[in-house]
């Protein structure tokens, strides 16, 4: 049996116990009171008839009820008691009369001290039998009407027995139900656990079909979604390793070939310089590649120190614009748009890192611009929750599926030409400043990459 089933059974048994205990206490305390009050009412009615009989100096017939008239120490039987059955006869051993369907004057009045009976009372005869009775004063003496009390006792006993039987039955039933429920609920959970184990081993297939229409189905959907995303990330990582190997291999081969040519003395004079320059260029490519990977891993592990300094935002944007203009190719137009009227926005930023973000946005915009409209807008504007800095191009745009992944490491589209690290690095830099980031894009119409400096990080001096 699994743990959940065991737990359900435990709680079911506990609930049952509490319910039965409460039921037991209530029935054993309330039931006798109700019954005794009923008996007093019955005796009260019977006493009216007995009084009538006393008046007429006769005796009456009463079922299971005895009545006596006590006057100056003498006790006179006032009724012929008809017994309903065996149940009520057991206590009349002292009477000398059995009353299985019999009828007769009762004698056990001899064994009872009627003078000490109270108006409403439960009392005993000399043989220890218990009775319930009422006493009423009349012109003819005290009338005592009473009956066996044992009946009530045996009734309560039966009720308690029934409760115990119900308890045992419901306990067994609840254990069976709990077992069934436990198995029913844990089956999909165990299947999900196996699926999660498989995912951790890199097995993303074998999706489960769960149609329980509850949280378990939602959990299954989340696991399926997680599995899909992990699969994409896994593929990206594999592609990255093969890309890195390829990207490292190409410059390394060039470096090796050029070095061999120089070493073997196959080139002389100016040509040696050309070959050496070529080697230096390839080394630069290699070192920037390794540098990017290092920066990203440091940023992700929070090991890279970001040097924040109070900076005038508009000045930073203007300076960046002039530097960026140099990297924009002759074909592209870089337009600056400053919609921020107030120049006194000061923000704590790391100039170098944030400039790196802008460079990445701009180089991507250039890469993905269309020859028909190669304009790029670089702007700053005030929005409701802060100040937004954006780079807008009118290029190929990004489809919805890719939009989910572009900020991930190693993700790159067809026109990339890079390592797929630029936006991942930008994202880390933006987040480490406490800024927000995003992209608005429409396929075929262009993209707008932006980051937002929230109001709480802006000091207006
Ligand atoms: P890389 O430029 O090395 O490919 P990035 O992380 O900078 O890596 O960009 C990831 C991908 O996002 C790009 O390969 C490209 O598919 C997409 N992308 C980024 N900027 C733009 C843009 N302005 N227009 C269209 N696609 C873009």
């Amino acid at each position: 049996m699994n743990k959940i089933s065991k737990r359900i059974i435990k709680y079911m048994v506990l609930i049952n116990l509490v319910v039965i205990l409460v039921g037991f206490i209530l029935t054993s305390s309330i039931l006798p009171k109700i019954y005794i009050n009923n008996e007093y009412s019955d005796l009260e009615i019977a006493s009216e008839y007995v009084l009538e009989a006393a008046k007429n100096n006769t005796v009456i017939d009463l079922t299971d009820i005895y009545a006596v008239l006590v006057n100056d120490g003498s006790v006179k039987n006032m009724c012929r008691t008809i017994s309903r059955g065996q149940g009520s006869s057991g206590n009349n051993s002292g009477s000398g009369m059995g009353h299985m369907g019999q009828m007769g004057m009762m004698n056990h009045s001899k064994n009872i001290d009627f003078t000490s009976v109270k108006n409403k009372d439960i009392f005993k005869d000399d043989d220890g039998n218990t009775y319930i009775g009422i006493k009423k004063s009349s012109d003819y003496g005290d009338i005592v009407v009473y009956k066996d009390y044992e009946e009530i006792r045996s009734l309560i006993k039966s009720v308690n027995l029934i409760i115990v039987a119900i308890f045992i039955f419901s306990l067994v039933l609840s254990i069976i139900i709990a077992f069934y429920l436990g198995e029913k609920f844990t089956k999909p959970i165990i299947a999900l656990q196996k699926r999660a184990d498989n995912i951790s081993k890199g097995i993303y297939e074998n999706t489960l079909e769960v149609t329980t229409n509850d949280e378990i189905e939602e959990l299954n959907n989340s696991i399926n979604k997680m599995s899909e995303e992990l699969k994409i990330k896994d593929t990206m990582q594999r592609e990255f390793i093969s890309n890195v190997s390829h990207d490292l291999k190409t410059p390394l081969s060039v470096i090796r070939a050029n070095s061999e040519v120089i070493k073997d003395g196959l080139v002389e004079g100016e040509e040696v310089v050309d070959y050496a320059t070529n080697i230096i260029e390839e080394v630069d490519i290699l070192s920037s590649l390794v540098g990017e990977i290092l920066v990203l891993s440091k940023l992700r592990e929070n090991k890279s120190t970001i040097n924040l300094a109070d900076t005038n935002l508009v000045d930073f944007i203007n300076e960046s614009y002039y530097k960026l203009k140099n990297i924009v190719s002759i074909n592209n137009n870089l337009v600056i748009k400053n919609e921020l009227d107030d120049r006194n926005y000061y923000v704590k930023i790391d100039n170098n890192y944030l400039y790196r973000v802008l460079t990445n946005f701009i180089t991507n915009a250039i890469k993905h611009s269309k020859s028909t409209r190669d304009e790029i807008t670089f702007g700053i504007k005030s929005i409701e929750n802060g100040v937004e800095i954006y780079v807008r191009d009118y290029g190929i745009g990004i489809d919805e599926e890719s939009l989910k992944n572009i900020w991930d490491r190693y993700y790159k589209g067809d026109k990339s030409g890079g390592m797929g690290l630029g936006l991942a690095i930008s994202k880390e830099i933006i987040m480490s400043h406490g800024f927000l980031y995003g992209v608005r894009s429409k396929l075929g119409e262009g993209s707008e990459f932006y980051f937002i400096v929230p109001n709480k990080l802006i000091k207006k001096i």
Side-chain angles (χ1 to χ4, degrees):
M1 202 192 301
N2 56 58
K3 287 179 200 157
I4 295 180
S5 298
K6 276 186 196 157
R7 204 183 284 175
I8 295 177
I9 290 176
K10 197 171 92 185
Y11 288 128
M12 281 260 197
V13 170
L14 223 100
I15 291 169
N16 251 307
L17 271 174
V18 172
V19 170
I20 294 298
L21 208 78
V22 171
F24 220 81
I25 293 169
L26 286 181
T27 44
S28 56
S29 65
I30 295 174
L31 206 74
K33 275 187 194 141
I34 296 173
Y35 205 86
I36 287 169
N37 278 337
N38 273 345
E39 293 300 323
Y40 281 136
S41 312
D42 280 357
L43 293 171
E44 199 81 43
I45 295 165
S47 72
E48 299 294 327
Y49 293 109
V50 176
L51 187 68
E52 195 67 27
K55 210 192 269 176
N56 301 332
N57 202 16
T58 59
V59 290
I60 56 160
D61 297 341
L62 289 172
T63 310
D64 286 342
I65 292 178
Y66 315 110
V68 289
L69 186 67
V70 185
N71 200 359
D72 286 338
S74 75
V75 176
K76 183 186 167 198
N77 275 323
M78 288 301 295
C79 75
R80 275 192 299 268
T81 303
I82 305 161
S83 171
R84 254 182 314 202
Q86 210 167 9
S88 61
S89 67
N91 306 308
N92 297 322
S93 51
S95 69
M97 282 190 66
H99 18 102
M100 256 266 285
Q102 291 178 28
M103 182 165 133
M105 300 298 283
M106 302 305 301
N107 254 348
H108 59 345
S109 53
K110 288 180 194 162
N111 304 328
I112 300 169
D113 173 16
F114 288 107
T115 47
S116 59
V117 173
K118 293 182 207 102
N119 289 351
K120 281 182 175 176
D121 205 1
I122 291 167
F123 49 91
K124 285 188 179 196
D125 64 13
D126 293 346
D127 298 325
N129 299 313
T130 317
Y131 302 94
I132 179 168
I134 59 164
K135 190 185 205 175
K136 279 199 152 181
S137 303
S138 75
D139 298 341
Y140 318 100
D142 288 339
I143 292 170
V144 179
V145 186
Y146 61 102
K147 66 188 292 187
D148 284 342
Y149 184 66
E150 292 306 320
E151 218 178 274
I152 301 172
R153 278 216 185 116
S154 64
L155 182 96
I156 292 165
K157 224 167 152 185
S158 315
V159 170
N160 285 346
L161 265 172
I162 291 169
I163 291 176
V164 170
I166 292 174
F167 169 61
I168 294 170
F169 175 74
S170 64
L171 202 67
V172 172
L173 196 74
S174 63
I175 288 174
I176 295 169
I177 293 173
F179 184 75
Y180 168 75
L181 287 182
E183 291 297 306
K184 189 175 150 69
F185 286 125
T186 47
K187 219 170 157 187
I189 295 176
I190 290 167
L192 284 176
Q193 185 199 358
K194 278 194 190 132
R195 168 118 173 85
D197 280 348
N198 279 342
I199 293 172
S200 73
K201 287 177 198 143
I203 306 165
Y204 302 110
E205 293 74 29
N206 310 335
T207 44
L208 283 177
E209 198 59 53
V210 179
T211 48
T212 47
N213 206 8
D214 56 14
E215 284 80 2
I216 299 178
E217 187 178 330
E218 282 166 23
L219 177 68
N220 182 48
N221 293 342
S222 304
I223 290 182
N224 284 343
K225 206 167 143 212
M226 178 187 80
S227 162
E228 262 170 47
E229 280 168 15
L230 279 175
K231 193 176 170 184
I232 294 171
K233 298 227 159 86
D234 213 19
T235 317
M236 279 204 281
Q237 196 129 356
R238 279 173 221 268
E239 276 174 9
F240 170 72
I241 293 168
S242 87
N243 285 348
V244 169
S245 325
H246 176 263
D247 288 354
L248 287 176
K249 234 173 155 186
T250 319
L252 281 174
S253 322
V254 177
I255 291 167
R256 189 184 165 92
N258 285 9
S259 309
E260 272 181 2
V261 170
I262 296 170
K263 181 189 150 225
D264 294 344
L266 298 174
V267 282
E268 284 177 2
E270 272 299 300
E271 267 192 306
V272 177
V273 178
D274 287 345
Y275 273 84
T277 312
N278 213 341
I279 291 170
I280 292 167
E281 279 169 5
E282 295 300 327
V283 168
D284 285 347
I285 292 173
L286 276 180
S287 92
S288 87
L289 178 63
V290 174
E292 294 254 289
I293 297 169
L294 272 178
V295 167
L296 182 62
S297 78
K298 275 186 184 169
L299 279 167
R300 283 180 70 89
E301 287 166 26
N302 272 338
K303 280 187 187 152
S304 186
T305 39
I306 292 226
N307 294 316
L308 298 174
D310 272 327
T311 312
N312 182 307
L313 212 52
V314 175
D315 287 349
F316 168 73
I317 294 300
N318 283 335
E319 280 160 25
S320 300
Y321 169 71
Y322 288 111
K323 281 198 259 173
L324 287 165
K325 244 181 125 56
N326 295 328
I327 63 166
V328 174
S329 64
I330 332 151
N331 294 331
N332 285 94
N333 265 324
L334 183 63
V335 181
I336 188 157
K337 216 171 182 180
N338 181 6
E339 292 168 36
L340 208 67
D341 25 340
D342 197 341
R343 286 185 67 89
N344 297 322
Y345 283 68
Y346 280 81
V347 181
K348 278 194 188 323
I349 58 169
D350 184 310
N351 269 255
N352 292 334
Y353 268 129
L354 218 55
Y355 178 69
R356 194 183 177 122
V357 172
L358 295 176
T359 314
N360 177 240
F361 285 179
I362 298 270
T363 47
N364 276 345
I366 297 167
K367 253 193 271 180
H368 299 94
S369 278
K370 286 191 282 203
S371 53
T372 43
R373 190 169 177 188
D374 58 359
E375 173 188 330
I376 296 163
T377 314
F378 170 40
I380 181 165
K381 64 181 177 191
S382 182
I383 58 167
E384 201 189 331
N385 55 337
V387 169
E388 183 181 298
I389 290 126
Y390 61 94
V391 173
R392 168 106 176 88
D393 68 61
Y394 302 89
I396 59 169
I398 308 164
D399 64 86
E400 273 189 34
E401 199 49 43
S402 308
L403 270 178
K404 290 186 210 155
N405 305 315
I406 52 168
W407 299 93
D408 290 340
R409 295 175 285 179
Y410 323 132
Y411 178 85
K412 48 187 194 171
D414 302 336
K415 289 190 83 182
S416 160
M419 291 299 305
L421 291 173
L423 287 179
I425 293 176
S426 299
K427 177 177 98 175
E428 294 298 332
I429 295 172
I430 295 168
M431 287 201 310
S432 58
H433 277 81
F435 302 166
L436 310 167
Y437 66 93
V439 57
R440 293 178 274 264
S441 186
K442 216 165 178 200
L443 207 57
E445 290 182 20
S447 315
E448 190 168 86
F449 282 82
Y450 62 87
F451 64 85
I452 296 166
V453 184
N455 282 327
K456 62 175 185 217
L457 297 179
I458 300 171
K459 251 195 288 175
K460 289 183 186 164
I461 299 172

